[in-house]
Amino acid sequence: MPELPEVEHVVRALRSVLGERTIVASEIRLPKLIAPLSVSTFNRKVKGRSIRGISRRGKFILIELASHLALPHGRASDTQGRGAGSRKRDDNLILAVHLRMTGKFLYLNADDELPKHSHAIFYLDNDRRLVFRDQRQFGVMKLMSTSDLSQTKGISELAPEPFGDEFNFDYFKSVLKRSQRSLKTLLLDQTKVLGLGNIYAAEALFRARINPFKNASQLSTKRAARLHQSIIEVLHDAITDSSTSRIDLEQPDGFSYGEAFERFWQVYEREGEPCVTCGAKIRRATHGGRSTYWCPKCQRR
């Protein structure tokens, strides 16, 4: 499953090719992908809309679709929406996409063969197609007005973004003090600490030299500050490190989530290998249903 750094790479890749493209039409081949909207309603709502921005909230990719009746800078036309027979102004929409385990976007030519598991196809005004494929069919697309985004289930509960001002040390310390869970379990809770999946939770704890099984509320202020900084740094480094993969949207089989990111990992999936810091053998244990990796020397209780 892609983690936040990889989702950020997908956002940047989409941003680089979509610009202010317009969706001429759409085709949904897996109705549950866009539930509870019907296919006909979804297609009608996105048809003719221009893509005005692409961003991210947690692991949700947010594609902003401009109003049908918006002027180039998003201002409603003064000549529209007047009189009894005129159309009502249509608000801007957000298409929120969660890739889940195997969801991927592709940017294809009109004559390129569609790969297997292509469940959503967006026909663009430059004769290209934006395709969403998902082998496991766990991906989600939510279409909503921009005003409803912050109240949408799955998004409204998310913790502050790890690179934002709200994810400050006072916030992080209060989260730790209120929890009786282990640190590893707490760090995976996206409503408390956003952006860490199993991989980067292990990497952040290793960088901070903190045992993953320690009770969160018992962490000292000094070590909590170290962990807070490590969370920010490990996510930032995974996004900017030159060894991590860049997403190629034009190659259907050209990338696999995590295939190049493995070179960045210092502890994850390195059971039995020597610690990069002290040489002790990395250990693995199943904790909370997930594999947890740590160095028994650098990360003592």
Side-chain angles (χ1 to χ4, degrees), residues 160-179:
E161 286 289 327
F163 304 125
D165 293 338
E166 292 183 23
F167 185 67
N168 51 50
F169 179 59
D170 286 339
Y171 167 82
F172 184 62
K173 185 168 61 175
S174 69
V175 168
L176 294 176
K177 293 301 181 184
R178 293 196 303 266
S179 177

Side-chain angles (χ1 to χ4, degrees), residues 11 18 28 35-36 71 86 92 94 104 107 115 124 127 145 152 160 180 189 215 218 221 245 285 296 298:
V11 167
L18 293 181
I28 301 298
L71 290 177
S86 65
N92 290 357
I94 293 287
K104 293 180 180 180
Y107 185 61
L124 306 175
D127 293 326
S145 66
T152 299
Q180 295 301 314
D189 185 344
N215 185 291
Q218 296 176 358
T221 299
S245 62
C298 295

Side-chain angles (χ1 to χ4, degrees), residues 94-261:
I94 293 287
L95 179 61
V97 183
H98 201 299
L99 303 174
R100 295 290 172 86
M101 294 185 69
T102 58
K104 293 180 180 180
F105 276 108
L106 302 172
Y107 185 61
L108 304 180
N109 289 311
D111 56 354
D112 288 338
E113 183 179 354
L114 285 175
K116 292 182 179 179
H117 316 295
S118 295
H119 302 313
I121 306 163
F122 298 91
Y123 298 89
L124 306 175
D125 61 342
N126 61 348
D127 293 326
R128 302 292 295 266
R129 294 173 296 172
L130 179 66
V131 177
F132 182 77
R133 65 179 299 201
D134 184 7
Q135 182 178 357
R136 299 291 296 275
Q137 300 186 12
F138 292 148
V140 174
M141 286 187 176
K142 298 175 180 283
L143 188 65
M144 69 202 76
S145 66
T146 55
S147 59
D148 290 337
L149 178 63
S150 60
Q151 286 80 44
T152 299
K153 183 176 175 57
I155 295 178
S156 61
E157 305 93 339
L158 294 176
E161 286 289 327
F163 304 125
D165 293 338
E166 292 183 23
F167 185 67
N168 51 50
F169 179 59
D170 286 339
Y171 167 82
F172 184 62
K173 185 168 61 175
S174 69
V175 168
L176 294 176
K177 293 301 181 184
R178 293 196 303 266
S179 177
Q180 295 301 314
R181 291 184 284 180
S182 70
L183 281 168
K184 173 69 183 304
T185 303
L186 177 65
L187 294 184
L188 294 178
D189 185 344
Q190 301 298 293
T191 69
K192 305 300 182 186
V193 180
L194 185 64
L196 294 178
N198 202 39
I199 296 172
Y200 293 107
E203 293 296 320
L205 286 163
F206 175 75
R207 286 194 181 201
R209 306 187 304 280
I210 296 173
N211 189 281
F213 308 112
K214 187 175 181 62
N215 185 291
S217 65
Q218 296 176 358
L219 198 64
S220 68
T221 299
K222 181 179 179 179
R223 301 181 82 193
R226 201 163 67 211
L227 179 56
H228 176 256
Q229 188 63 29
S230 292
I231 290 169
I232 297 171
E233 289 178 355
V234 76
L235 291 173
H236 176 269
D237 290 351
I239 291 171
T240 61
D241 190 274
S242 61
S243 71
T244 58
S245 62
R246 297 299 183 263
I247 304 298
D248 186 352
L249 297 175
E250 301 191 37
Q251 299 295 326
D253 298 309
F255 69 93
S256 176
Y257 294 128
E259 70 180 5
F261 283 73

Side-chain angles (χ1 to χ4, degrees), residues 11-29:
V11 167
R12 295 180 183 189
L14 289 171
R15 197 180 288 151
S16 70
V17 298
L18 293 181
E20 291 198 0
R21 297 263 66 92
T22 295
I23 298 174
V24 176
S26 59
E27 180 182 349
I28 301 298
R29 298 184 172 187

